[in-house]
Amino acid sequence: MRSRFLVELAVVAAALWGARCGTREAAGSGSGVVGPDAGYSGADAGTSGNPDDGGGGSMDAGTGSNSGNGDAGSDGGATGGTGTDAGSGGQSASNGCTGLPASSDPGAATVSHFIWLRDSTGVDSCSPGVASGTGTVALTMQAYHSQTIDFVSSSGTLLASTPGAEGSTLFAGESGFIGNMTASMASWLEAQNDSGAQSATTTYEQVADVAEDPLGGVVALTGGTAPQITSFDTSLTVHWRVSRPADYPVALAVDRAGATLFLFDGTRLFGANTLAGMWIDHAGVAGNVFQMLGPQRDLAFRLPFALTQRTGSGLFLALGPAWVAQVDSLATASSAAPDWLQARPNVRLHMVRGGKGYAVLPVDAQNAQDCVQSVEVVSPSGESCGTTSFRAANGSCRTGPITVGYDGTVMQLAPDPDPAHQEWFGQGTCYWHWWPGVFR
């Protein structure tokens, strides 16, 4: 992962093609404002799926740059465990699975929405759904040099359909969204409210490797020739800026206590192929640089490292499909990932029930004889609390991304069941359906 900063300020075309879209609803239910729940925590980068098969490639509602993201936490403990302990940031052991499981069979998705693709060249793609704490869902169709972003209520009402940039990654908050928008070599932030209206932008603040702050807003790499890390609040006002080492970035994430961890190539400081880190607390005070991991098989910035929140505080570290380490909030040494997590390779994590447990999400782009994706719920101590199965379609399919929203809504990018939406080249839409508040 390398940071990209402004080389030229590209102009986004003012006249974007109009996109057709629609919503189907079956017993959809509304969703009121809820308290903070976890944002997305992933161990892989965010890319779009192929609409023909409900999605291809790996996905994340996060940055697409090896950084995990999540949301509000309340504990800043720094004594997470190892072995079979989840490393919950100094909190006492969880009371098992009490209040964590959902129904094993939630039935068919109650709400759906589609956006027509722009052309038949195969370059159009569909991004995973994201949902705010109010239940508003943001859905993106990515076309060549432009996007369509639809904002839809939890019950399926289209609130707004807006043109995006050449590319974007959306982060959902307790209310509203922050988008990392890109065009050519330019990258900036935009804030949208739950109605889809833009409320703020950082057009002249170039950003890279954006990660959600679970206490509100985002952090990002900034600064160009004077490398910095900058924290932006929900209105994109700068909260703090700190200088960072100029070494190649590897990953950026914020834990549930609001502490930011910047990982970078440690070769200059600690020897060839090592991984280094630096914490910044929520007030913007930077800690000492430390060695996160010893020598790896290659330079750290060339490897697919990714950070994911733990319950309470602290972070897990993945290398490709394997979970390799965990680190307590503001600690300067890592330890092995817990046994229960090492036993679940090639999965993504998301908080459920207000951060009281984990949803273990399967990766997408799998050839399934039965088009169902199963989500396991696990307690902070690693106890399995049951599995819920979400049907994407009848029969076989190639699975798309399945994500959990800030309010516990489960969203699938799925095959479109409407024959009228089939074109000569295959499925002509991006199609999502969802189950509002399943893991609230």
Side-chain angles (χ1 to χ4, degrees), residues 242-305:
V242 300
S243 297
R244 62 175 174 87
D247 306 86
Y248 282 122
V250 172
L252 183 71
V254 187
D255 75 3
R256 289 175 57 82
T260 298
L261 178 59
F262 170 56
L263 296 182
F264 57 96
D265 191 277
T267 296
R268 178 179 63 86
L269 298 174
F270 301 110
N273 299 353
T274 56
L275 179 64
M278 183 181 79
W279 285 99
I280 305 100
D281 69 18
H282 194 62
V285 178
N288 294 327
V289 169
F290 65 97
Q291 182 174 318
M292 179 76 173
L293 292 179
Q296 303 297 301
R297 66 177 182 270
D298 199 351
L299 293 169
F301 72 88
R302 294 176 177 170
L303 300 176
F305 283 108

Side-chain angles (χ1 to χ4, degrees), residues 201-246:
T201 184
T202 63
T203 303
Y204 302 106
E205 176 83 41
Q206 296 302 302
V207 300
D209 305 333
V210 181
E212 182 185 3
D213 183 342
L215 300 185
V218 296
V219 297
L221 303 186
T222 58
T225 57
Q228 297 175 324
I229 302 172
T230 302
S231 170
F232 300 89
D233 66 16
T234 55
S235 63
L236 301 185
T237 300
V238 172
H239 180 210
W240 50 254
R241 294 185 192 273
V242 300
S243 297
R244 62 175 174 87

Side-chain angles (χ1 to χ4, degrees), residues 382-402:
E383 181 180 355
S384 181
C385 301
T387 298
T388 302
S389 296
F390 299 92
R391 178 166 293 281
N394 293 320
S396 61
C397 73
R398 186 168 173 81
T399 60
I402 183 169

